[in-house]
Structure formats: C-alpha cells, structure tokens
Amino acid sequence: MKIGELAQRAGVSVRALRYYEEQGLLSPERTPSGQRRYTEDTVEVVRLFQQFYAAGLSSRAIAALLPCVNNGRTTATQRCMLRTERDRLAARVEEMTHTLRRLDQLITAADHRGGRGAQPLVEDCDSTVAS
C-alpha cells in the first residue's frame, strides 16, 4: 500500500511515517520510481509504535526493541530493557490509579456538599466549558 493509505489506516500522519523511516523504524520497499510501498502488517506495527510513544518510549528504545517485534526473539539486553520499561509503566499506572481515586473522592465530596438537588460535578464542568 502507498504511504497515504498506511497513514489513514494506522491513524497517523504521513509526516509521522516519514519520521519513523528516518529513525530506522520502518523500511518500506520502493518502486522503480521511488514511491514507498508498505505491507499489510505495517499497519499494526505503526499502531504499536504509537502505543510505545504514548507510553513514553523513545525512538531509540523502540528501535532497540524492534527485533523483538519482528521475530519474537530477544537478547538478554532487550529483555532487561523490556522489564525496565514495563516496571516504569507499572509505576505510572499505579500513580495514575491513585490520582483517579483521589479525583473520584473529590467529585463525591463536591456532589455531597452541593446538596440533594445539586447537579453532578461533571455536568457543572460541561456547562462551564461551554460558556
């Protein structure tokens, strides 16, 4: 498939795909005229890159882990990196879960202070944002 189709199907920009190529994350085939061509599997690979980036992994880390994605085999160094990233993400999830619970407590307390007829805090926010 062409770069525009891949971008659309993977939910990224063409610019992002070119960046991935510059970083050595993608290596598309080229037609004789130089157009990039991607396989069907590339859609899921690009989505995985997006997940890794959203989780805070750098291009360098993703490039180092790419062989794991491509062939399912890992070196001791890659396994160590995978565990380190997993532990970092688990700590972030724990921190975010704690924050979510705290926000829930604040919302509940605010709703109770507002009295029985008070609108829930979420609706208050929606009307505030709209004005």
Side-chain angles (χ1 to χ4, degrees), residues 43-125:
V43 174
E44 288 306 314
V45 170
V46 169
R47 288 179 181 157
L48 181 63
F49 293 165
Q50 289 294 295
Q51 291 172 337
F52 283 165
Y53 278 119
L57 274 73
S58 67
S59 295
R60 184 184 304 174
I62 295 170
L65 296 173
L66 197 54
C68 306
V69 174
N70 292 337
N71 64 25
R73 296 186 194 115
T74 59
T75 64
T77 301
Q78 289 167 328
R79 285 189 299 279
C80 182
M81 181 185 283
L82 286 167
R83 286 186 188 101
T84 299
E85 290 299 334
R86 191 240 177 255
D87 291 347
R88 184 184 61 77
L89 286 173
R92 280 185 56 202
V93 167
E94 187 175 321
E95 183 179 312
M96 292 175 81
T97 300
H98 175 74
T99 302
L100 181 62
R101 286 188 193 122
R102 186 67 180 121
L103 287 171
D104 287 342
Q105 292 169 352
L106 291 170
I107 290 168
T108 300
D111 286 347
H112 281 70
R113 280 193 302 269
R116 289 186 147 226
Q119 294 292 320
L121 188 58
V122 173
E123 290 179 17
D124 291 344
C125 293

